[in-house]
């Protein structure tokens, strides 16, 4: 059984920036005796990014934190802080980069649970209805890559995505 509550706000600071803040609470329970998955998850997401006055160069800052309180095992906490910069190269082509830091306390065989990360990518909109986004990067646990293709019609929306990272 699962129950979730997720209020959020989003607004503008004039034409300078947009901001968002959200909290989520979810409760997972099972009927199995001695289940290790019964938990409560608390999440916080904060963000601020460039507004309409930044038409060529955009920016953003994000903070995410999640804590999973398990009833029968150790709790798990994850945190991420990141900054993003984008530059419009042409009306339909944008280059972007992200840098940040992850800090986590989950169990791992490598021992590494925190460190810097970065990505470099491109966003292309060949038409008003189609977008293609790709990036490559590196996190503390290894290389990452992502590709996403989206297309919309008047009545449908289709997205195909691929991501690759060390697991």
């Amino acid at each position: 059984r699962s129950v979730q509550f997720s209020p959020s706000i989003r607004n503008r600071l004039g034409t300078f920036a947009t901001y968002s803040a959200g909290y989520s609470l979810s409760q997972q329970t099972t009927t199995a005796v001695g289940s290790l998955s019964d938990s409560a998850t608390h999440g916080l997401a904060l963000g601020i990014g460039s507004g309409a006055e930044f038409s060529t160069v955009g920016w953003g800052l994000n903070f995410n934190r999640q804590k999973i309180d398990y009833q029968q095992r150790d709790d798990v906490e994850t945190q991420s802080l990141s900054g993003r910069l984008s530059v419009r190269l042409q009306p339909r082509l944008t280059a972007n980069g992200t840098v940040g830091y992850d800090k986590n306390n989950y169990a791992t065989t490598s021992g590494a649970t925190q460190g810097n990360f970065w990505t470099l990518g491109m966003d292309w909109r060949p038409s008003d209805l189609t977008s293609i986004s790709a990036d490559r990067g590196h996190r503390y646990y290894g290389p990452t890559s992502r590709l996403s293709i989206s297309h919309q019609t008047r009545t449908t929306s289709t997205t195909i995505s691929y991501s690759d990272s060390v697991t």
Side-chain angles (χ1 to χ4, degrees):
R1 187 172 51 219
S2 176
V3 177
Q4 183 169 341
F5 174 68
S6 302
S8 65
I9 61 169
R10 179 181 303 249
N11 209 339
R12 289 187 293 245
L13 299 171
T15 60
F16 178 75
T18 60
Y19 67 88
S20 62
Y23 172 78
S24 64
L25 171 63
S26 65
Q27 181 76 41
Q28 308 286 326
T29 56
T30 62
T31 56
V33 176
S35 173
L36 296 177
S37 61
D38 290 356
S39 64
T41 303
H42 304 268
L44 175 66
L46 305 172
I48 186 166
S50 55
E53 76 181 63
F54 295 89
S55 60
T56 303
V57 176
W59 55 271
L61 295 171
N62 291 289
F63 174 76
N64 292 285
R65 183 175 189 275
Q66 184 178 62
K67 182 176 182 189
I68 305 172
D69 295 321
Y70 289 103
Q71 290 183 1
Q72 300 291 325
R73 60 180 170 162
D74 292 340
D75 295 345
V76 172
E77 291 185 53
T78 62
Q79 293 184 63
S80 180
L81 176 64
S82 64
R84 179 178 174 92
L85 184 65
S86 63
V87 178
R88 180 170 294 165
L89 303 173
Q90 296 179 357
R92 295 186 176 270
L93 183 65
T94 303
N96 54 67
T98 303
V99 296
Y101 189 80
D102 288 329
K103 181 179 179 184
N104 309 298
N105 79 339
Y106 49 73
T108 177
T109 57
S110 71
T113 60
Q114 62 186 26
N116 298 316
F117 67 86
W118 60 267
T119 62
L120 294 174
M122 301 289 277
D123 296 325
W124 179 40
R125 294 188 58 86
S127 73
D128 289 341
L129 303 176
T130 303
S131 65
I132 301 170
S133 178
D135 63 50
R136 299 267 309 164
H138 196 276
R139 291 188 108 82
Y140 63 90
Y141 50 78
T144 63
S145 59
R146 184 187 59 82
L147 173 66
S148 178
I149 302 169
S150 297
H151 181 73
Q152 296 178 359
T153 68
R154 188 180 316 195
T155 58
T156 65
S157 176
T158 303
T159 300
I160 299 170
S161 55
Y162 167 84
S163 65
D164 186 21
S165 66
V166 175
T167 55

